[in-house]
Amino acid sequence: MNSHSHLDNEQIDHVDARYSRQILFSPIGAEGQRKLGESRVAIVGMGALGTVLANHMVRAGIGYVRLIDRDFVDTSNLQRQMLYDEEDANTTTPKAIAAARRLQLVNSLVTIEPHVTDLNSTNAEDLLSDVDLILDGTDNFSVRFLINDVSMKLGIPWIYGGAVASRGVSLTIIPGQTPCLRCLFTQAPAAGTAETCDTAGVIGGIIHVVASFQSTEALKLLIGAKEQLNLKMQQWDLWFNQHSAIRVDGALKSDCPACAKQQYEYLEAHLENDTIQSLCGRNSVQIQPIVPSTKSLDDWEERLKPLGPVEKNRFLLKFQAAPDLHMVIFPGGRVLIQGTDDLIQAKSLYSRYIGM
């Protein structure tokens, strides 16, 4: 149900009781709750951040929540991805489906729409164009730049979030008001230079800090509390007791390709299609990074050896990511993923171990 205004008086009493503590918080109140009930939110990525974000949005009474994720639940997710259980892992249930099932039991008044798909240039506008806000639960910059392109093109705000090890970051991005992500980062980090949860690990606490900040900013945006928005880039390191809030308003660039020039490079289908391709007849997928990696094969060996069997010669490194899946890494960051011709599965492996 997309709006509480469609409910009869008896149902309204039930709705008010469900959200009574949130309505008692005067900055939200009954009017703010009504606005939340009429709001539409898309969450991209249903991993650690995404599960916390979805949990907050559904329990807060957002009228419509769309969940987008390409992956399946496995046991390594259970330490931090709060909506899943061992049964989900044992049955390799898609994350979007498992999350939607769990959340529908929490709040049957919310319309929850799961999409088991890879967000890419061919479907991003369709999946993100009809919402009021986009929440980032992803783990790579290529998808974030794609979200940023959609945001700038369609004028939809989004909230960036990321977490690895004990560190986290978040920033609220509003088209026409704040710098966009490409004002701050002109291009994605070179392959292998960014840590991932599969190489550096992650503790659960930082996930909840980042996602809780994103969720609170989301409520402010959706009820129109613009004066209370925190438009600084927030950075945390919970293990080493660090927090900073950095003003970024001066980072708005007049030559930004996305927000200034309206050149939406990550929405152009050929950008990804030229770099990711299934190799016909070889049961392999090749991924060529847009920004070449400067890591040596020795660097890759040091990074991946603790995670699984590695073989290396002076031309390439072969890493066994799963019993029937191997990643062959060449100088410059080109990767062959052997054992699958599924582009989505290949991208998931690449994102986990290399970083996109």
Side-chain angles (χ1 to χ4, degrees):
M1 185 168 295
N2 291 343
S3 172
H4 299 157
S5 63
H6 296 163
L7 305 177
D8 60 31
N9 288 336
E10 183 178 346
Q11 289 172 310
I12 288 173
D13 289 339
H14 174 65
V15 170
D16 287 347
R18 177 187 295 265
Y19 305 120
S20 62
R21 302 306 187 271
Q22 190 161 276
I23 292 171
L24 284 170
F25 179 63
S26 58
I28 294 179
E31 177 63 15
Q33 191 64 51
R34 182 190 64 79
K35 291 179 180 178
L36 295 179
E38 295 174 348
S39 296
R40 298 170 62 89
V41 170
I43 303 172
V44 183
M46 286 304 301
L49 289 174
T51 52
V52 180
L53 290 168
N55 192 48
H56 280 304
M57 293 299 97
V58 169
R59 290 179 186 274
I62 305 305
Y64 176 98
V65 180
R66 181 175 294 151
L67 312 177
I68 305 167
D69 193 278
R70 67 190 182 194
D71 208 354
F72 299 85
V73 181
D74 68 47
T75 53
S76 69
N77 303 146
L78 302 182
Q79 167 253 348
R80 65 200 178 281
Q81 299 183 17
M82 65 180 298
L83 293 179
Y84 311 130
D85 58 30
E86 292 179 352
E87 181 66 15
D88 297 324
N90 292 338
T91 57
T92 59
T93 304
K95 291 181 178 180
I97 300 299
R101 287 175 181 170
R102 185 64 47 79
L103 291 169
Q104 205 69 78
L105 295 173
V106 170
N107 194 342
S108 60
L109 300 174
V110 172
T111 298
I112 303 171
E113 184 183 278
H115 287 262
V116 184
T117 189
D118 176 54
L119 189 79
N120 56 55
S121 57
T122 67
N123 62 16
E125 285 193 69
D126 287 340
L127 288 171
L128 302 178
S129 63
D130 61 345
V131 297
D132 303 303
L133 176 65
I134 305 166
L135 294 176
D136 171 27
T138 71
D139 59 2
N140 69 81
F141 265 87
S142 294
V143 177
R144 290 178 181 129
F145 283 151
L146 182 61
I147 294 170
N148 190 74
D149 275 1
V150 173
S151 168
M152 295 305 112
K153 183 176 181 179
L154 303 180
I156 301 170
W158 72 286
I159 304 178
Y160 158 52
V164 67
S166 59
R167 303 186 303 278
V169 61
S170 184
L171 178 67
T172 300
I173 297 173
I174 305 174
Q177 181 177 340
T178 70
C180 78
L181 193 67
R182 294 203 66 187
C183 289
L184 301 169
F185 306 101
T186 56
Q187 61 185 14
T193 59
E195 292 180 315
T196 75
C197 293
D198 289 273
T199 59
V202 64
I203 58 173
I206 191 61
I207 300 299
H208 287 262
V209 168
V210 174
S212 295
F213 178 85
Q214 290 177 279
S215 298
T216 304
E217 290 300 290
L219 297 183
K220 296 176 189 177
L221 274 166
L222 294 172
I223 70 170
K226 297 180 180 179
E227 68 283 356
Q228 299 301 328
L229 287 169
N230 188 332
L231 300 181
K232 296 179 180 179
M233 178 179 282
Q234 304 293 317
Q235 296 179 323
W236 301 269
D237 190 321
L238 295 188
W239 198 261
F240 296 101
N241 309 310
Q242 296 171 356
H243 171 250
S244 61
I246 303 170
R247 289 190 59 174
V248 297
D249 47 317
L252 190 66
K253 291 184 177 178
S254 60
D255 60 348
C256 173
C259 65
K261 295 185 176 181
Q262 299 179 349
Q263 298 171 353
Y264 308 118
E265 298 170 1
Y266 286 80
L267 271 174
E268 296 176 7
H270 72 269
L271 185 64
E272 179 167 82
N273 291 344
D274 284 347
T275 58
I276 302 177
Q277 55 184 307
S278 179
L279 302 183
C280 184
R282 294 182 57 186
N283 196 33
S284 298
V285 173
Q286 175 177 277
I287 300 181
Q288 177 73 54
I290 297 170
V291 180
S293 173
T294 58
K295 280 185 173 290
S296 68
L297 295 179
D298 289 338
D299 293 333
W300 286 118
E301 182 178 33
E302 181 179 357
R303 178 179 178 130
L304 296 173
K305 196 170 183 178
L307 307 175
V310 170
E311 302 173 25
K312 178 176 68 73
N313 60 32
R314 62 192 182 95
F315 303 107
L316 58 86
L317 178 144
K318 189 173 185 179
F319 167 62
Q320 185 175 338
D324 298 316
L325 289 168
H326 290 83
M327 302 178 70
V328 182
I329 305 174
F330 297 84
R334 181 170 67 92
V335 176
L336 291 182
I337 298 175
Q338 300 177 318
T340 184
D341 57 5
D342 185 328
L343 300 185
I344 293 176
Q345 183 183 27
K347 285 177 63 178
S348 293
L349 282 169
Y350 187 93
S351 180
R352 286 181 65 182
Y353 293 106
I354 306 299
M356 297 187 84

